[in-house]
Amino acid sequence: MIEIKNIYKQFDDNFLALKDFSLQIEKGSAFGLLGSNGAGKSTLLRLLSGVYKQDAGEIIVDGESVYDNPAIKQKIFFINDETIQFGNYTLEKLKDLYKGLYPNFSDELFERLNNKIKLPTYKKLNQFSKGMKRQAIVIIGLSCQTEYLLLDEAFDGIDPAMRIIVKRMLVDAMIDRELTVIISSHNLKEISEICDSIAFIHKGELLFAKSIESVKNEMHKLQVAFSEEISEDALAGLNIIKSDRNQSVRHYIIRGNADEIRAKFESLNPIILDIVQLTLEEIFIIEMEERGYGNDAV
Amino acid sequence: MTLFKTDASRHYFKCGLQKNSKLFIASIAFEVLSIPVLLLSVLLEESSGIAGILSVLLYSFFSFLFAGIAVILGIPIALNSFSYLHKKHESDTYLSFPLSNKQRFFCDYLSGLITYIVPALGSMILSVILSILIHIKEPDEYVFGVGDTDYTIISFVLKIYLFAIICMVMLYTLAVLSAVLCGTLYETLSSTLLINAGIPGMIALITHICFNKAPGVDTGYMMLPVLGKTSPLGAVISFAYYLDEGIKDCLSIPTFLWTLFWLLAVNALYILLSYKLYTKRKAEHTSKPYAFKLYNRILISCLTFAIISIIPAWPGFFAIPVLIFTAVVNLSFETITNRGFKNFSKSIVRCIVTIGVSVIIIFVLNNKWAFGASTRVPDVEDVESVTIDFYGYPAVDGYYYTRTVVEYTSEEGIEIITDIHRDFIENYEYRSGSFEYESQYGYGYYDRYDYTLVYKLKNGLTMKRTFTLSEDTVIGLHALNNTKDFAEYTCDRIIEKYADTNKLVFGVKLKNGYDGYTSFAIEARDGDARYLSEAEYDDFLEELCEAIKTDVDSRNSDDIITEENIYIRINIGGQYAYILKSDVNSIAVLEKYTDI
């Protein structure tokens, strides 16, 4: 289990990347980190992998601090968002590098995974495409058989067909050996497909950390039409985040319990009432808009 | 070794060696092409004349060029070993590896060091083997004299290599230190050059500022002990100085080992400093110019200090342009470091403070008396020995032609020297920046004599003083000719010159037609030679030396070398030793064995 307790991380230019940040991630879960650019997601992953050292607070993995702790770092594999490292290495050589560093590395698993994506093992990585490099490091990371896998924009550059295979590999590892996956990605569709929980980070602060299901159940999109005009007071008590109107059809984004919202609207005798579950992407955009992020552009 | 207690660290170390493999091959190539090939060409020339002496001389240029490149390779090797400190895309990966900071640092340090030093060690072994072969072929030809000792080519090559390798280790360590202190490749490279030049440069500068006005103090000699231990460049400069001067026998085993020990000890401190800073370094400093702001400030401050130190040399109006130039340089570096004019007002404040503090420090240090150092004369009981480089034997025409370097260990000799030294300090006159005695001839050139004293103190320190004496004062040093140490010196020279000459021929010349003085030379002269057997000759030299020692011991203060007092002079190689009329024992030996 990962316990992040009241951490602060500030950079030299006085930029406070994480502020009094606390989070708990259960073992075996698939956890998504959401947030705008510069929210602190990558910083958090670097702290979790022991690359950065927090200025204050604690990061505890399986009961021990991560920073400068090889025993704990052996349980964690971090894939960052870079693709230009180890360009002179072949996949075979890269495998040998990691094999010596991670004691649970499985050649058999590596072969099995590579058979699925068929990357050339004796070609230098600088001759690989961006997507191929990402696939290479993902199968290396999975073959290390660590308990925690941290992915920062890991699917960036991978084509849709290969994404499905890579995602399957992740899911298989989660099922087979209770791998804990923490993903930071702007591709919310993927996060919603893989993760069971998410944390929403904004300007270095944790806004919430919940299961995806509960996040989706907390916000709803409604399409409603009434035979006659209703007063705004009739909707009092509802937490309406957004509303607009197209002739007689009204659209609402409302935070709250779906049954209660439905009951409220049905009491007003609508001629049309559709309640649609929002996608994670829509929820993300709405949350960001609420916090004034990119209001002009979104 | 706890460093390699885990499989991961062992594996990471091996990977470090692989990472440097191309540089390793390059290093081997340059190392082999340097001294070993030069020695091979010497051997071939000596064996069969295949190489040709011109080719050997021509190749020596390339040999030293390749040796220089092999040495410089230490910098790229250090940078390659710690590449992740300057490349953001590598830092995440390397720092997330399951290694402690300690394991990662020392694995990288050692893998780079092995890449750098193993080829040098191989080159040393090859060179020593070739030196042995050259020595077997020409045992007498390749002999290197340093001080009073001759070294065979084997010993010379081995010691020079060992010294060079230790200096290379220090160069590599300083490059690692720079890599840790900086966040980009450009800053690391410039910092490596600045550190290597800056350490000896600042030592030289501060010593000069402190002692340049101090009478008698040899600033060069003063800085050498520190200079020779703190940086590779300083070590090479001081070692070359000692080799050239031969004052301090730098290749004798105890001195040489002591030098290596100090270099290794200081190097260990640099490693420790690098490691401590490495553990303090933050990953986010990668790709920033400097990982530690303080380091940047130190660099800029040293540069500012160095420029301002020109002012005392040319005071007056010249100070203003120097201050303006210093401010421009200081602010330029601030701008480069800040990558623009960000916080420029703060830069201006820092610039003013740095210049102000530098000016104060320079004017405090630039003390005429060097805080008492220049006037210090050691107590006799604190001195183990004192070597004086002076005109020991005056010529009979009243001038002093030949310099003599004599080591005095007797209390009597040391006391005479410290008295003269004290007298100099008490009577020195400061005039137009030069320090000298006022003599009856004024400050003319021809009546001045340079004297150098090197005290070896019982606490292990050495102290060198150089001053100029007038002829009048030199007379006071004649008492040194009547000491046991000087007698030993004279006998050593006699043995050195005559012991290995043709022992069957012994000649005397009673009258010297050139200057009309009775003189004596142990060399064959037609018509006035006496032939001694080998055994007689050895006895003669031994008895003469014993007699000289006895006579010198019994001389009194009136027995000084003057025209009237001289009985005979002995050529001892470039100068003369004198037997006085009062030296009855020496005269008896001469009469016994010669026709004098």
Side-chain angles (χ1 to χ4, degrees):
Chain A
M1 188 173 75
I2 296 174
E3 292 167 275
I4 300 163
K5 296 177 185 171
N6 310 103
I7 59 164
Y8 284 81
K9 181 66 191 172
Q10 184 170 337
F11 293 112
D12 281 351
D13 50 5
N14 293 327
F15 172 65
L16 195 56
L18 289 172
K19 184 182 167 189
D20 196 19
F21 192 98
S22 297
L23 181 65
Q24 197 163 308
I25 300 171
E26 294 299 327
K27 205 158 196 170
S29 65
F31 205 91
L33 298 177
L34 302 183
S36 54
N37 291 328
K41 305 183 297 297
S42 296
T43 301
L44 182 63
L45 289 178
R46 288 188 173 98
L47 286 161
L48 288 174
S49 57
V51 173
Y52 285 172
K53 186 180 182 184
Q54 67 274 17
D55 299 323
E58 278 183 305
I59 299 175
I60 307 290
V61 176
D62 295 346
E64 286 184 55
S65 170
V66 182
Y67 188 77
D68 204 19
N69 187 342
I72 291 300
K73 285 168 95 173
Q74 248 171 11
K75 296 180 176 184
I76 302 167
F77 194 96
F78 174 44
I79 299 175
N80 69 358
D81 52 355
E82 297 282 353
T83 54
I84 56 170
Q85 52 202 327
F86 300 117
N88 281 326
Y89 279 51
T90 61
L91 184 56
E92 191 64 28
K93 197 174 165 189
L94 191 67
K95 182 192 86 173
D96 290 341
L97 169 70
Y98 281 98
K99 189 178 165 182
L101 293 170
Y102 292 88
N104 295 330
F105 190 95
S106 165
D107 280 306
E108 184 266 323
L109 180 59
F110 176 81
E111 294 302 327
R112 192 149 45 88
L113 295 174
N114 196 33
N115 279 341
K116 290 180 185 171
I117 51 178
K118 296 194 170 31
L119 290 171
T121 50
Y122 289 97
K123 202 171 167 183
K124 285 192 173 176
L125 293 190
N126 54 21
Q127 294 174 293
F128 280 24
S129 69
K130 185 181 177 185
M132 286 163 80
K133 285 177 194 167
R134 305 300 294 173
Q135 291 165 44
I137 196 66
V138 168
I139 63 167
I140 293 270
L142 287 169
S143 304
C144 287
Q145 300 202 103
T146 54
E147 292 175 34
Y148 300 91
L149 183 64
L150 315 182
L151 302 158
D152 194 0
E153 303 293 347
F155 301 103
D156 199 15
I158 303 179
D159 66 65
M162 209 46 81
R163 277 178 188 226
I164 294 168
I165 296 173
V166 172
K167 274 188 270 183
R168 262 190 215 144
M169 288 176 183
L170 286 176
V171 173
D172 287 348
M174 287 161 64
I175 295 165
D176 292 347
R177 53 185 177 86
E178 228 189 331
L179 171 72
T180 306
V181 179
I182 302 171
I183 303 176
S184 158
S185 174
H186 289 119
N187 190 328
L188 304 182
K189 185 169 173 285
E190 262 152 16
I191 289 212
S192 63
E193 283 170 6
I194 298 169
C195 299
D196 42 43
S197 304
I198 56 164
F200 195 100
I201 307 168
H202 186 62
K203 290 184 177 173
E205 290 181 79
L206 178 69
L207 298 184
F208 61 78
K210 292 173 185 169
S211 71
I212 287 185
E213 211 45 51
S214 67
V215 171
K216 285 183 175 175
N217 284 337
E218 278 178 8
M219 207 180 281
H220 308 278
K221 186 160 68 177
L222 281 87
Q223 188 172 264
V224 195
F226 296 99
S227 53
E228 51 193 59
E229 282 299 311
I230 58 160
S231 74
E232 289 300 316
D233 294 341
L235 298 175
L238 289 173
N239 187 357
I240 299 171
I241 296 165
K242 207 174 172 182
S243 66
D244 61 37
R245 185 170 180 173
N246 184 3
Q247 294 184 337
S248 62
V249 181
R250 298 162 187 247
H251 297 97
Y252 293 100
I253 305 284
I254 302 174
R255 200 188 291 275
N257 183 285
D259 294 336
E260 287 173 5
I261 294 167
R262 178 180 290 276
K264 181 81 177 175
F265 276 93
E266 280 177 348
S267 68
L268 298 171
N269 299 317
I271 50 174
I272 300 169
L273 176 59
D274 291 328
I275 298 184
V276 183
Q277 199 173 45
L278 287 162
T279 64
L280 201 54
E281 192 161 341
E282 287 171 315
I283 295 169
F284 176 79
I285 292 166
I286 292 161
E287 291 282 0
M288 294 307 290
E289 279 182 328
E290 264 196 304
R291 284 159 184 85
Y293 180 80
N295 269 344
D296 299 332
V298 178
Chain B
M1 196 177 180
T2 54
L3 177 63
F4 296 120
K5 70 180 177 185
T6 65
D7 290 341
S9 57
R10 276 194 294 273
H11 178 74
Y12 182 72
F13 172 70
K14 283 182 205 161
C15 290
L17 292 175
Q18 283 171 9
K19 188 180 171 187
N20 288 322
S21 56
K22 284 179 187 166
L23 287 163
F24 183 67
I25 292 164
S27 183
I28 289 174
F30 285 117
E31 286 287 358
V32 170
L33 285 171
S34 61
I35 309 301
V37 174
L38 177 66
L39 291 174
L40 182 66
S41 61
V42 170
L43 182 65
L44 289 173
E45 170 59 19
E46 291 298 340
S47 304
S48 54
I50 291 172
I53 193 69
L54 273 177
S55 304
V56 173
L57 287 172
L58 182 66
Y59 191 76
S60 62
F61 167 75
F62 290 103
S63 164
F64 289 112
L65 178 71
F66 291 139
I69 296 171
V71 169
I72 296 294
L73 272 178
I75 297 170
I77 290 171
L79 298 189
N80 193 49
S81 298
F82 289 86
S83 59
Y84 57 90
L85 296 179
H86 315 116
K87 294 177 183 169
K88 206 163 179 62
H89 61 268
E90 283 187 6
S91 82
D92 281 350
T93 308
Y94 277 84
L95 298 179
S96 67
F97 283 159
L99 298 162
S100 65
N101 285 333
K102 187 179 177 182
Q103 287 170 329
R104 198 185 320 104
F105 175 82
F106 283 104
C107 284
D108 289 331
Y109 180 85
L110 290 175
S111 61
L113 187 66
I114 287 169
T115 304
Y116 184 42
I117 295 302
V118 165
L121 288 171
S123 174
M124 182 183 80
I125 292 165
L126 260 177
S127 296
V128 168
I129 292 168
L130 288 164
S131 301
I132 292 168
L133 295 174
I134 291 169
H135 183 70
I136 291 167
K137 191 78 191 159
E138 293 289 344
D140 299 326
E141 193 164 337
Y142 295 96
V143 174
F144 299 85
V146 179
D148 295 333
T149 320
D150 287 336
Y151 295 93
T152 63
I153 187 169
I154 308 163
S155 161
F156 190 75
V157 165
L158 179 66
K159 285 172 181 168
I160 294 294
Y161 254 105
L162 284 172
F163 176 77
I165 286 171
I166 302 292
C167 287
M168 285 166 73
V169 173
M170 197 184 256
L171 175 76
Y172 171 78
T173 307
L174 287 177
V176 169
L177 178 63
S178 291
V180 173
L181 288 166
C182 302
T184 67
L185 201 59
Y186 169 76
E187 259 80 13
T188 305
L189 270 173
S190 53
S191 161
T192 304
L193 298 177
L194 282 173
I195 283 185
N196 274 288
I199 293 173
M202 287 307 288
I203 290 168
L205 194 63
I206 290 171
T207 314
H208 180 74
I209 291 168
C210 287
F211 298 107
N212 72 322
K213 286 184 177 176
V217 177
D218 183 325
T219 49
Y221 195 84
M222 197 104 184
M223 71 178 80
L224 282 176
V226 183
L227 199 69
K229 297 177 183 81
T230 45
S231 67
L233 185 62
V236 170
I237 290 170
S238 61
F239 196 66
Y241 176 85
Y242 289 140
L243 270 180
D244 184 47
E245 290 282 310
I247 294 172
K248 198 173 172 181
D249 195 357
C250 56
L251 289 185
S252 70
I253 296 289
T255 312
F256 182 71
L257 290 180
W258 189 241
T259 306
L260 295 193
F261 166 78
W262 267 109
L263 282 170
L264 285 171
V266 174
N267 191 57
L269 285 177
Y270 286 144
I271 296 171
L272 190 67
L273 177 67
S274 304
Y275 168 63
K276 286 289 170 197
L277 290 170
Y278 182 87
T279 57
K280 302 278 176 214
R281 195 182 198 277
K282 293 177 177 176
E284 57 265 33
H285 288 143
T286 305
S287 80
K288 298 263 173 65
Y290 294 98
F292 299 91
K293 281 181 183 169
L294 180 64
Y295 175 61
N296 181 33
R297 300 274 163 266
I298 290 170
L299 281 183
I300 296 176
S301 302
C302 286
L303 194 65
T304 306
F305 183 85
I307 300 171
I308 292 182
S309 66
I310 300 168
I311 293 177
W314 293 287
F317 177 74
F318 188 71
I320 295 166
V322 170
L323 286 174
I324 293 169
F325 178 68
T326 311
V328 170
V329 172
N330 184 301
L331 290 172
S332 301
F333 270 81
E334 285 272 356
T335 313
I336 293 167
T337 307
N338 296 334
R339 302 289 193 260
F341 291 93
K342 197 168 52 179
N343 296 325
F344 195 64
S345 55
K346 281 185 184 174
S347 297
I348 291 173
V349 172
R350 276 198 296 267
C351 173
I352 293 167
V353 170
T354 311
I355 289 175
V357 171
S358 299
V359 167
I360 292 166
I361 292 172
I362 286 166
F363 280 92
V364 168
L365 291 182
N366 195 27
N367 179 295
K368 180 174 158 186
W369 297 102
F371 308 101
S374 67
T375 53
R376 187 190 167 212
V377 178
D379 294 329
V380 176
E381 56 270 22
D382 295 336
V383 180
E384 192 179 307
S385 71
V386 53
T387 303
I388 179 166
D389 181 349
F390 73 129
Y391 293 90
Y393 289 110
V396 283
D397 55 8
Y399 286 98
Y400 297 81
Y401 295 118
T402 312
R403 296 200 70 81
T404 308
V405 180
V406 187
E407 186 180 22
Y408 288 85
T409 51
S410 69
E411 196 180 324
E412 175 200 11
I414 292 168
E415 196 169 0
I416 293 169
I417 293 170
T418 51
D419 284 347
I420 294 286
H421 188 176
R422 199 169 289 108
D423 186 50
F424 165 69
I425 294 298
E426 286 166 3
N427 293 294
Y428 98 98
E429 184 178 327
Y430 177 67
R431 190 171 67 89
S432 305
S434 64
F435 304 92
E436 53 194 56
Y437 267 112
E438 184 177 15
S439 76
Q440 58 180 317
Y441 306 108
Y443 294 95
Y445 176 76
Y446 294 106
D447 65 330
R448 291 166 57 193
Y449 297 92
D450 295 329
Y451 281 72
T452 303
L453 303 174
V454 180
Y455 291 100
K456 193 174 176 186
L457 304 178
K458 285 176 182 167
N459 61 12
L461 296 174
T462 55
M463 194 178 144
K464 184 179 180 183
R465 296 291 182 267
T466 303
F467 46 90
T468 305
L469 302 182
S470 69
E471 192 180 349
D472 298 348
T473 321
V474 169
I475 301 295
L477 288 171
H478 280 194
L480 286 172
N481 298 135
N482 294 347
T483 58
K484 193 175 74 179
D485 303 293
F486 200 81
E488 291 275 358
Y489 167 80
T490 304
C491 293
D492 287 347
R493 297 287 83 75
I494 288 173
I495 297 293
E496 192 180 296
K497 180 163 173 63
Y498 295 111
D500 293 330
T501 54
N502 188 342
K503 292 179 178 179
L504 296 174
V505 181
F506 173 64
V508 293
K509 183 162 173 50
L510 296 173
K511 288 283 182 188
N512 185 323
Y514 173 68
D515 56 16
Y517 289 96
T518 305
S519 64
F520 173 90
I522 302 175
E523 53 194 22
R525 296 289 175 98
D526 288 341
D528 49 1
R530 182 196 282 191
Y531 292 89
L532 299 175
S533 69
E534 192 171 345
E536 280 178 317
Y537 185 85
D538 289 344
D539 288 345
F540 164 64
L541 288 182
E542 194 180 319
E543 285 177 35
L544 181 62
C545 287
E546 283 307 311
I548 288 172
K549 286 176 191 170
T550 310
D551 288 335
V552 167
D553 200 35
S554 57
R555 281 178 187 172
N556 60 46
S557 57
D558 294 329
D559 295 327
I560 59 170
I561 301 167
T562 61
E563 199 176 314
E564 297 76 33
N565 288 345
I566 294 169
Y567 174 72
I568 203 166
R569 67 183 186 189
I570 303 174
N571 182 343
I572 55 169
Q575 63 185 135
Y576 293 97
Y578 295 93
I579 303 295
L580 303 184
K581 288 173 181 167
S582 57
D583 297 339
V584 290
N585 296 297
S586 305
I587 293 169
V589 173
L590 287 170
E591 285 174 348
K592 180 180 168 188
Y593 286 95
T594 73
D595 293 330
I596 200 163

